[in-house]
Amino acid sequence: MKGLEKELNRARAEQKILAEVSSHPAVRSGEIFTFASFITESVSKALGIERVGVWLFNETKDELHNVDTYRSSIAEHHSGAVLKEVEFREEFQYLVKEKYVDANDPYTDPRTKGFIESYLKPNGITAMLDGVIRMGEELIGTICFEHVGKPHSWEEDEIIFCSQLGDQIALTISNLRKNEINKELHAREKELRELNESLERLVEERTKNLKKTNAELEVTISSLQKTQAQLILSEKMASLGQLVAGIAHEINNPIAAIHASAQNLKESLFDSELSLFQKELKDLLPSIDKQKLFLNCLDVLKSRVEMVSGKERMRRRKEIESWLKSKSIPESFSYQLIDSGFELPILEEFEILFQDSDVFAIISLLAEEITVFQSLSIMQLAVERASKMTFALKNFARFEVSTDPIKTNLHENIETVITLYQNQFKKKVTLIKEFEPVPYIEGYPEELLHLWTNLIYNGLQAMTFSGEMKIRTEVLEEKVRVTVEDTGCGIPMDVQNRIFEPFFTTKPSGEGSGLGLDICRKIVERHQGKIHFESKPGKTKFFVDLPLLLVT
């Protein structure tokens, strides 16, 4: 039991760290030094590992640089050490070929023997676990768990946990690269805007002197702007597609690990006849009838996993304490029983379980199993939500445009974009969907995704991400109408006739290129439809009318 309790405590600690790591702001911002420092200290303190370090390869992959190492005994971080392939060529090859190096005795393990004199002995390391960090096929680095002065055998859950942390580090580096690309893209947009403004001034000056050639010059400028818009759009779509596809791929790794862990826990703790739970149950209740009654009770409690309010919890506690007192059972067990989902009717239904048995062991076993079941339920919910997001990202990442229109489910197309923005709708934005039954349309689903993305995000920005957004679909004669309505500040009357012009924007510098609504217009026109809007302070509606059948 002590061994199992130790494993469960370690699993809870690992689960807590993964939850904190996956939601850490440094993952999204790409601040790898801050993120590495947080991981090393958190793991070292929670799991009692003396040294935890993050090492990253240089661009040529022939050197490992220490980003951060935390030493528990002196509570200090340090960094800067370098390991060169020319000095540890054989050991580097193991990192290239394997997913991890679990050296229970690094002094005899052939994978770590090269580190003995220069690294293991000076630092007193007695057990080493290196989790290899990869981004797709690219080798990124390693995360190291190192025990000092005591032997240790690495368990499977520690290896999986180490790999999961490596996935989070890879995602952080991916976001760092993405942010660097975005900064460069914003710089190019600003440069392009300045060039365009310079071009407009030049046009104005020449127009004064060359009125006869004004019409020809306007046609030239319009053609140039359309070409520029198409080039920028292609560059953005290609970059964004690669980033989104990469992120979706990386998310699948922790999803698979969580799913596998949940399945393994379920089989080992509940399903297997050889599980510790089954053995403990048989030892505790030799009677087969009482074993069946215990399992029936457990099934009832599993169906009642819920959050109980303070007032309801107090009511249940009083009833349960009264019942326990009548059975000469310590009232202190009321808290365990409530946390396990018990209330008075269930106690009375399974009263026989608490007669002529080790009551303390019965209640403890029930509480332990329900706790594990709750943890598995939380893991399953997380897997389902992450899988849904990954599916939406993969759909969004398909930027190749169909050459011919295909039958498209309009609701599924819109829901993909809504899924990507679900985090915004959970906060201060209320989303109302009024979806009437609409037939399939013939269209280009990849382009429609970007149409809804621009309209929805423009609405969220107009509301400063706080308000109400309504999305409505309906059939009007021979067309389908999609309405996107927001409660934002509205479009000023003096610019309403310009919002579909390329490069025109009312947003601050760096927040928009002025191409979003121009792209929307072109997408709708390619579908032989129409787009228009109505706007006043507090209510803006964009209407997209698409024909039920396209004429090709």
Side-chain angles (χ1 to χ4, degrees):
M1 284 299 294
K2 288 184 178 180
L4 177 60
E5 183 178 358
K6 182 179 179 181
E7 290 181 10
L8 288 174
N9 288 336
R10 186 173 65 220
R12 293 190 185 100
E14 291 170 352
Q15 185 180 15
K16 181 181 178 183
I17 292 172
L18 284 175
E20 293 173 348
V21 164
S22 62
S23 61
H24 198 282
V27 176
R28 184 174 182 181
S29 63
E31 297 175 36
I32 186 60
F33 294 100
T34 300
F35 190 56
S37 177
F38 175 79
I39 285 179
T40 56
E41 185 169 344
S42 298
V43 173
S44 178
K45 289 181 176 179
L47 301 184
I49 301 175
E50 170 60 19
R51 294 169 56 91
V52 179
V54 174
W55 298 72
L56 297 180
F57 280 104
N58 61 355
E59 291 184 358
T60 55
K61 311 301 182 187
D62 59 358
E63 290 182 355
L64 266 176
H65 292 248
N66 180 228
V67 177
D68 184 87
T69 292
Y70 182 81
R71 293 177 60 189
S72 177
S73 60
I74 60 174
E76 285 185 3
H77 294 267
H78 62 85
S79 60
V82 177
L83 299 178
K84 298 183 178 181
E85 182 184 21
V86 68
E87 298 173 5
F88 307 98
R89 190 174 304 277
E90 185 175 352
E91 287 71 26
F92 269 49
Q93 288 303 311
Y94 283 113
L95 296 179
V96 172
K97 294 184 295 184
E98 300 189 8
K99 295 182 179 179
Y100 58 85
V101 175
D102 54 333
N104 296 328
D105 184 355
Y107 295 89
T108 60
D109 196 309
R111 298 172 295 178
T112 56
K113 65 181 182 180
F115 297 124
I116 292 175
E117 297 300 329
S118 61
Y119 186 80
L120 298 178
K121 285 185 177 180
N123 294 306
I125 298 169
T126 52
M128 173 186 288
L129 172 61
D130 285 351
V132 180
I133 304 171
R134 286 187 171 84
M135 189 189 306
E137 297 298 323
E138 182 184 357
L139 186 63
I140 300 298
T142 179
I143 176 169
C144 301
F145 294 175
E146 297 165 347
H147 280 287
V148 172
K150 60 181 182 179
H152 184 80
S153 295
W154 301 104
E155 300 294 340
E156 183 179 2
D157 67 288
E158 294 175 293
I159 296 172
I160 292 174
F161 173 64
C162 185
S163 298
Q164 291 170 333
L165 291 176
D167 292 336
Q168 292 296 320
I169 294 171
L171 178 58
T172 303
I173 293 174
S174 175
N175 287 338
L176 173 63
R177 295 178 181 178
K178 177 194 70 175
N179 293 338
E180 291 174 348
I181 292 173
N182 286 339
K183 287 179 182 178
E184 182 68 20
L185 185 59
H186 288 154
R188 298 286 78 78
E189 288 177 350
K190 182 180 179 181
E191 181 181 344
L192 183 61
R193 189 188 303 279
E194 291 173 351
L195 288 173
N196 187 63
E197 291 172 354
S198 175
L199 180 61
E200 289 180 347
R201 287 193 297 271
L202 179 61
V203 169
E204 290 175 357
E205 292 174 0
R206 290 194 175 185
T207 300
K208 296 176 182 178
N209 301 320
L210 303 171
K211 292 184 179 180
K212 292 182 181 180
T213 60
N214 183 57
E216 180 180 350
L217 185 57
E218 288 180 348
V219 170
T220 302
I221 293 172
S222 175
S223 176
L224 177 59
Q225 289 178 334
K226 289 179 180 179
T227 302
Q228 289 173 329
Q230 188 61 45
L231 288 173
I232 293 172
L233 176 61
S234 299
E235 182 180 352
K236 281 186 175 181
M237 294 302 101
S239 299
L240 188 58
Q242 292 173 358
L243 289 171
V244 170
I247 291 171
H249 175 74
E250 293 302 323
I251 290 175
N252 275 331
N253 291 331
I255 289 177
I258 293 171
H259 180 70
S261 297
Q263 287 298 111
N264 289 339
L265 280 173
K266 182 177 181 296
E267 291 174 3
S268 63
L269 295 178
F270 296 110
D271 298 341
S272 173
E273 288 293 329
L274 301 177
S275 69
L276 292 176
F277 164 66
Q278 294 288 349
K279 183 179 182 301
E280 190 171 351
L281 178 61
K282 292 175 181 178
D283 291 342
L284 186 60
L285 296 173
S287 169
I288 294 178
D289 290 338
K290 279 198 173 185
Q291 290 176 20
K292 291 180 179 179
L293 189 63
F294 183 95
L295 293 175
N296 290 339
C297 180
L298 194 60
D299 288 338
V300 171
L301 295 176
K302 286 179 182 178
S303 67
R304 293 174 54 81
V305 174
E306 58 184 346
M307 296 297 294
V308 182
S309 66
K311 186 179 294 185
E312 174 64 14
R313 185 180 179 87
M314 185 177 294
R315 183 191 68 80
R316 291 188 186 182
R317 183 168 64 84
K318 288 181 178 180
E319 289 183 348
I320 290 175
E321 285 179 347
S322 177
W323 186 86
L324 290 172
K325 188 175 181 180
S326 70
K327 304 299 179 183
S328 299
I329 301 173
E331 297 175 17
S332 59
F333 278 103
S334 62
Y335 293 99
Q336 280 184 295
L337 291 170
I338 291 172
D339 290 338
S340 300
F342 274 101
E343 57 181 311
L344 187 58
I346 300 177
L347 280 172
E348 293 174 341
E349 180 182 353
F350 294 98
E351 179 177 353
I352 193 172
L353 273 179
F354 307 100
Q355 296 175 354
D356 303 323
S357 301
D358 188 343
V359 173
F360 306 99
I362 289 286
I363 294 176
S364 296
L365 185 59
L366 281 169
E368 287 176 4
E369 298 311 311
I370 290 301
T371 299
V372 173
F373 180 78
Q374 288 174 328
S375 298
L376 290 173
S377 299
I378 292 171
M379 291 170 66
Q380 188 63 37
L381 177 61
V383 167
E384 291 174 358
R385 291 180 62 186
S387 296
K388 183 178 180 182
M389 179 61 73
T390 303
F391 178 76
L393 283 170
K394 286 184 176 179
N395 280 345
F396 190 80
R398 296 190 311 154
F399 288 111
E400 65 278 5
V401 179
S402 305
T403 56
D404 298 311
I406 62 175
K407 286 186 177 181
T408 303
N409 186 320
L410 206 55
H411 289 165
E412 288 184 359
N413 196 261
I414 297 172
E415 286 286 3
T416 296
V417 178
I418 291 175
T419 298
L420 295 175
Y421 286 117
Q422 64 178 340
N423 190 50
Q424 299 295 342
F425 294 125
K426 284 180 181 177
K427 295 179 180 177
K428 297 181 180 179
V429 178
T430 300
L431 175 64
I432 299 174
K433 295 187 290 186
E434 297 180 350
F435 287 179
E436 294 184 4
V438 297
Y440 280 60
I441 68 166
E442 287 190 351
Y444 306 90
E446 301 87 0
E447 292 188 358
L448 290 174
L449 284 172
H450 298 294
L451 171 63
W452 314 130
T453 298
N454 281 330
L455 293 181
I456 290 174
Y457 192 71
N458 280 352
L460 291 172
Q461 284 186 313
M463 296 188 295
T464 62
F465 301 92
S466 178
E468 181 180 283
M469 175 169 285
K470 183 184 294 183
I471 303 176
R472 177 178 176 81
T473 61
E474 56 188 324
V475 177
L476 300 175
E477 298 178 352
E478 296 299 319
K479 62 187 177 184
V480 175
R481 168 167 289 181
V482 179
T483 306
V484 179
E485 177 182 341
D486 66 75
T487 57
C489 59
I491 304 171
M493 185 64 67
D494 58 338
V495 300
Q496 288 191 5
N497 62 338
R498 297 191 62 195
I499 66 168
F500 290 110
E501 290 182 13
F503 301 105
F504 177 79
T505 179
T506 59
K507 299 174 184 176
S509 177
E511 291 189 13
S513 63
L515 294 173
L517 289 175
D518 176 54
I519 292 171
C520 290
R521 177 181 58 81
K522 290 177 179 177
I523 291 173
V524 173
E525 288 177 353
R526 190 177 188 218
H527 285 78
Q528 300 178 20
K530 294 182 179 179
I531 181 172
H532 61 286
F533 67 92
E534 298 173 357
S535 183
K536 62 181 181 180
K539 180 179 289 188
T540 298
K541 294 182 179 181
F542 274 86
F543 304 96
V544 176
D545 295 337
L546 301 173
L548 293 177
L549 293 175
L550 293 181
V551 180
T552 58

